[in-house]
Amino acid sequence: MTSERLTGVPASPGRAAGVVVRMPARVPEPRTSRLTGDAEAAVRAVEEAAAQVEADLADRAGRASGTAADVLAVTAAMAADPTLAAGAARRVREDRLTPERAVWDAAGSVASQLESLGPPMSERARDVRDVRDRIVAALTGAAPPGVPDPGHPFVLVASDLAPADTAMLDPAVVVAVVTARGGPTSHMAILARALGIPAVVALPGAADLVDGEEVVVDGTVGSVLRSPSAEDVEHARDRVVAATFDGHAATRDGVAVDLVANVADPAEARAAAAAGARGVGLFRTEFCFLGRGEEPGIDEQVAAYRAVLSQFPGQRVVVRTLDAGADKPLRFLTPDHEDNPALGVRGLRTAVAHPDVLDRQLDAIARAAAAETAEVWVMAPMVATVDEARDFAAACEAHGLHQPGVMIETPAAALQARHVLAEVAFASLGTNDLTQYTMAADRDLAGVAALSTPWQPAVLELVRVACEGGAVHGAPVGVCGEAAADPLLAPVLVGLGVASLSMTPRALAEVADTLARVTRDECTELARLVLDRPTAEAARDAVRTRLLP
């Protein structure tokens, strides 16, 4: 049988061969029928079902770690959101709808409101519908949404995956993920990379893949091969990098490259240390704050930060201050409503109205740093101006934190890097948001998934400009966005002047393996090659031709 290659958008690197298992159909829409019994009993049934779903998701969050735990905690909080329960209760009492129909309609109203806000809040509409399906399943006794369990390893194929499902994927069973929708920097893609599962998103023809057929998935280049030959399958297995990472990475001619880890909580810090990471390029501190109605106390923050710092004695840990807002709202810090929260009060901007929250966090970071031996650097998210960088550096200095830095996530910060980096000691490129803002493309929207890639020449040009700006002051510029975990893109980033690459620990070995096969001059040549290409696809193809057999 002749093989057929489908091409989508690469989302998580790696190759895998396996049989297709499709995601089961979602919970069916309940019929519109009227309540015949006690309305208050029906309201209580809704409340109990929502509480059951919240408890299940919270339990999953407790058993997960890092980004997966954060995603599950946010979804659990959504199940407990009184807006959904109140909307369902009103429909039961006033319209005499059955509990399941009332929940369905109430969730539809909430999801529509979120979609009207635009990205990134529109992304939460999918999560609302996932919670809706779980509550309806609890009310009707139907099977709840979830990843199938056929009893053998498989390639999971779906229209899209809710974060709550992706967070619980077992990489020993789900060898690859293919979706018809989504983008390369969506929560699903980020979680797949953290789990080391190859993934392709926005794949035309995904709906045609059938249960039981064998495919080869290449998440590095974004392809799915149908009816592969035995040689194709064997080649896919041979490309798996089995080597472990010993903490050191260098080009073929011996130029060292600093590979470090992204971590989101103490459990991920332990996993990163066990994977050979010799430091942390991005410590996300949101785990202390998410899912809470009030700010954690300083002592609680100190204990949490020390649990991460203690895993890296004598090594650099870059702590990012609270990145609230947009898709991570906090009731005590961010506005209740913004028409376009992706362009609103988020990251460092929350300190304008709440400088005390930043002050207390910097105090906690300083205390944790004093109690441990890790070399602590601190950076602020969502910086756009020189004034913001200068003010943040002064706030850090006031707390005895002498290595302040900024996230470069906006084109403004990249273009002004030579001025911004005159005020701080270092910068780290957050390529997920930098790509989103540069290309004006929602990272979760399948319709613009081809735009949502750091291979875009415009994005890579901004990386180059930012690195040149840092070089003026001898300030290192790293990458802590998901682009750092792409083994094809890593040598390009090094060639553009990036000083360090911070990634999910599972990607360290493969990125180190790729860098060991090229010289420093070849990295520079690859960088020139991609900047000279007019499109992201042409840039990726040019590097793939050079690096892959």
Side-chain angles (χ1 to χ4, degrees):
M1 185 178 295
T2 304
S3 297
E4 177 189 8
R5 188 178 301 277
L6 306 177
T7 302
V9 177
S12 179
R15 288 185 184 178
V19 296
V20 168
V21 174
R22 295 193 64 86
M23 193 76 173
R26 304 197 70 85
V27 173
E29 180 176 352
R31 290 182 304 152
T32 300
S33 53
R34 302 301 170 183
L35 187 68
T36 57
D38 180 13
E40 294 310 311
V43 169
R44 287 194 297 274
V46 170
E47 294 171 346
E48 290 168 2
Q52 177 184 331
V53 170
E54 179 196 6
D56 175 64
L57 291 169
D59 178 65
R60 293 189 188 194
R63 290 184 281 113
S65 64
T67 303
D70 292 346
V71 166
L72 288 165
V74 169
T75 309
M78 193 170 292
D81 188 342
T83 303
L84 178 57
R90 180 177 59 78
R91 285 167 171 81
V92 168
R93 293 186 178 113
E94 296 179 8
D95 301 333
R96 301 291 296 177
L97 292 178
T98 58
E100 59 270 24
R101 186 69 222 188
V103 168
W104 191 275
D105 290 350
S109 176
V110 173
S112 296
Q113 290 173 7
L114 289 170
E115 287 171 336
S116 70
L117 299 177
M121 291 308 293
S122 55
E123 173 195 340
R124 312 312 300 178
R126 177 184 55 194
D127 302 342
V128 169
R129 293 188 177 100
D130 179 55
V131 167
R132 172 202 68 190
D133 290 353
R134 294 174 189 275
I135 295 175
V136 169
L139 286 166
T140 61
V147 177
D149 182 12
H152 58 76
F154 63 95
V155 173
L156 179 62
V157 177
S159 173
D160 200 358
L161 282 182
D165 289 326
T166 313
M168 299 305 291
L169 293 181
D170 181 354
V173 178
V174 180
V175 299
V177 174
V178 177
T179 65
R181 301 171 58 195
T185 55
S186 66
H187 284 306
M188 188 286 289
I190 292 170
L191 288 166
R193 282 191 288 271
L195 292 167
I197 300 175
V200 177
V201 299
L203 181 79
D208 297 328
L209 298 174
V210 298
D211 283 324
E213 72 167 297
E214 187 170 38
V215 295
V216 171
V217 178
D218 191 329
T220 303
V221 301
S223 69
V224 175
L225 185 65
R226 304 183 75 179
S227 303
S229 67
E231 184 180 0
D232 292 326
V233 172
E234 190 61 31
H235 183 57
R237 290 169 179 158
D238 287 345
R239 284 293 301 162
V240 176
V241 177
T244 57
F245 180 62
D246 65 1
H248 300 283
T251 58
R252 194 173 75 240
D253 53 341
V255 177
V257 180
D258 192 14
L259 299 190
V260 287
N262 294 341
V263 304
D265 62 18
E268 282 198 355
R270 291 190 292 272
R278 298 296 179 89
V280 173
L282 171 61
F283 169 25
R284 303 178 177 99
T285 57
E286 289 77 46
F287 78 102
C288 289
F289 296 82
L290 290 177
R292 301 177 62 134
E294 59 184 21
E295 175 190 357
I298 291 179
D299 289 343
E300 182 181 350
Q301 290 187 53
V302 170
Y305 303 153
R306 288 190 63 184
V308 171
L309 300 181
S310 64
Q311 298 299 313
F312 300 95
Q315 296 163 356
R316 186 178 76 246
V317 175
V318 179
V319 182
R320 184 181 69 186
T321 56
L322 181 59
D323 189 16
D327 62 340
K328 296 188 288 287
L330 291 173
R331 288 195 296 273
F332 60 87
L333 187 62
T334 55
D336 292 334
H337 171 77
E338 290 180 319
D339 288 336
N340 194 341
L343 303 180
V345 179
R346 56 172 299 198
L348 184 62
R349 297 173 182 179
T350 62
V352 174
H354 302 279
D356 52 322
V357 175
L358 175 63
D359 185 69
R360 285 188 289 271
Q361 185 175 29
L362 291 175
D363 187 12
I365 293 170
R367 292 189 194 185
E372 302 293 338
T373 62
E375 180 186 352
V376 175
W377 295 14
V378 186
M379 65 180 178
M382 203 59 186
V383 168
T385 69
V386 173
D387 289 339
E388 289 171 342
R390 182 185 300 117
D391 291 346
F392 180 72
C396 288
E397 192 64 34
H399 287 278
L401 297 165
H402 304 304
Q403 290 291 328
V406 298
M407 291 279 289
I408 293 181
E409 301 167 279
T410 65
L415 292 170
Q416 289 288 91
R418 66 189 180 95
H419 299 299
V420 169
L421 283 159
E423 306 297 334
V424 294
F426 71 98
S428 189
L429 288 151
T431 50
N432 300 353
D433 273 326
L434 183 61
T435 301
Q436 178 169 242
Y437 293 131
T438 301
M439 304 308 298
D442 178 4
R443 66 195 215 181
D444 281 294
L445 190 61
V448 293
L451 296 174
S452 301
T453 168
W455 283 95
Q456 290 288 352
V459 176
L460 294 174
E461 183 65 29
L462 288 174
V463 173
R464 182 192 66 79
V465 171
C467 290
E468 286 187 354
V472 171
H473 306 284
V477 176
V479 170
C480 64
E482 297 300 320
D486 185 339
L488 287 181
L489 190 53
V492 174
L493 295 173
V494 171
L496 290 170
V498 169
S500 64
L501 299 170
S502 187
M503 65 200 72
T504 173
R506 290 178 179 269
L508 290 166
E510 189 169 4
V511 171
D513 178 74
T514 300
L515 290 172
R517 291 188 277 115
V518 294
T519 66
R520 182 64 176 81
D521 286 345
E522 286 171 339
C523 290
T524 303
E525 181 185 353
L526 287 171
R528 285 198 297 264
L529 192 69
V530 299
L531 290 177
D532 194 44
R533 293 299 185 273
T535 67
E537 184 178 4
R540 188 189 298 112
D541 287 347
V543 175
R544 181 173 60 210
T545 300
R546 293 287 186 96
L547 297 183
L548 293 182

